[in-house]
Amino acid sequence: MSTPRPFKRFSPEEDRIWQMLWARQMDNCQLHASRLWLGGLHKLGMTPDRIPDFGEMNERLKALVGWELVSTDVIFSDGQTWFEHLARRQFLITEYIRDEKDLLYTPLPDIWHDTFGHLPLMTDPRYADYVQHFAHVALRYTPQQRKSLGSLWWYTIEFGFMMEGGEMKAFGAGLMSSPGEIEHAYSDAVAKTPFSIEAFERISPSPHAMHNTLFILDDMAQLEASAEQWASLHPAPVSL
Ligand SMILES: [Fe+2]
């Protein structure tokens, strides 16, 4: 478990990467993002000019939904550590930003992905409660037993679409943070299929390849029900 520590101060060079990512991605987000994500960006006070002050954002997030941000230098944490933090309403922030050559896509979550992709949605109380609930469900199982639950996370929280006012909106944090992924996701190369819990038993995502199928959630209620629905299909968790 990470011990709480002060957030890192980022260099002008790191801020420059943030500025480039923002300039490259914001038009995609204005066009395709859910209202939930767009509203959250505003609530957290993120700006195009620099990596945010996490102390300040932490206070805003605590006030909005009772979650806290925890700094980590682990670039790619194992699922267990990640879920243990989420279960305590703690969101780990990777204090690393991608290289300029990886602006379009990086398989490793970085501070751009964690912050710009995930945090706007985390300002919504229903969404934030669901993420904690998902972690509680995950912790009932061993990593081996919950592999397809990881796929559910991947295709909803990271790369899901959601219907909003009759329109298909980009919802997942991986779509919001990756110019390469969101542009690919809206192309004809990707089949957009209605969400079904059974699909995740047959499909294994790879962080190193672009997708050819992505899923559309009807609404927040369908997302909220999905982790427990997965659990009902996997009724034999061990007691840990
Ligand atoms: Fe993520």
Side-chain angles (χ1 to χ4, degrees), residues 79-80 83 132-143 145-146 149-150 153 227 230 240:
Q80 190 68 19
F83 287 132
Q132 182 183 29
H133 168 68
F134 188 104
H136 283 299
V137 172
L139 292 172
R140 294 182 212 158
Y141 298 83
T142 64
Q145 290 169 329
R146 65 175 181 237
L149 184 66
W153 174 280
W230 181 90
L240 299 172

Side-chain angles (χ1 to χ4, degrees), residues 112-149:
W112 169 258
H113 168 75
D114 289 349
T115 308
F116 188 84
H118 281 287
L119 292 187
L121 293 164
M122 291 296 295
T123 63
D124 180 74
R126 282 179 70 181
Y127 182 92
D129 285 352
Y130 170 69
V131 171
Q132 182 183 29
H133 168 68
F134 188 104
H136 283 299
V137 172
L139 292 172
R140 294 182 212 158
Y141 298 83
T142 64
Q144 194 57 31
Q145 290 169 329
R146 65 175 181 237
K147 275 194 167 166
S148 61
L149 184 66

Side-chain angles (χ1 to χ4, degrees), residues 82 91 109-110 113-114 117-118 153-154 157-159 173-174 177:
W82 173 248
F91 197 94
D110 67 346
H113 168 75
D114 289 349
H118 281 287
W153 174 280
W154 185 268
I157 300 289
E158 298 290 350
F159 290 100
S177 67

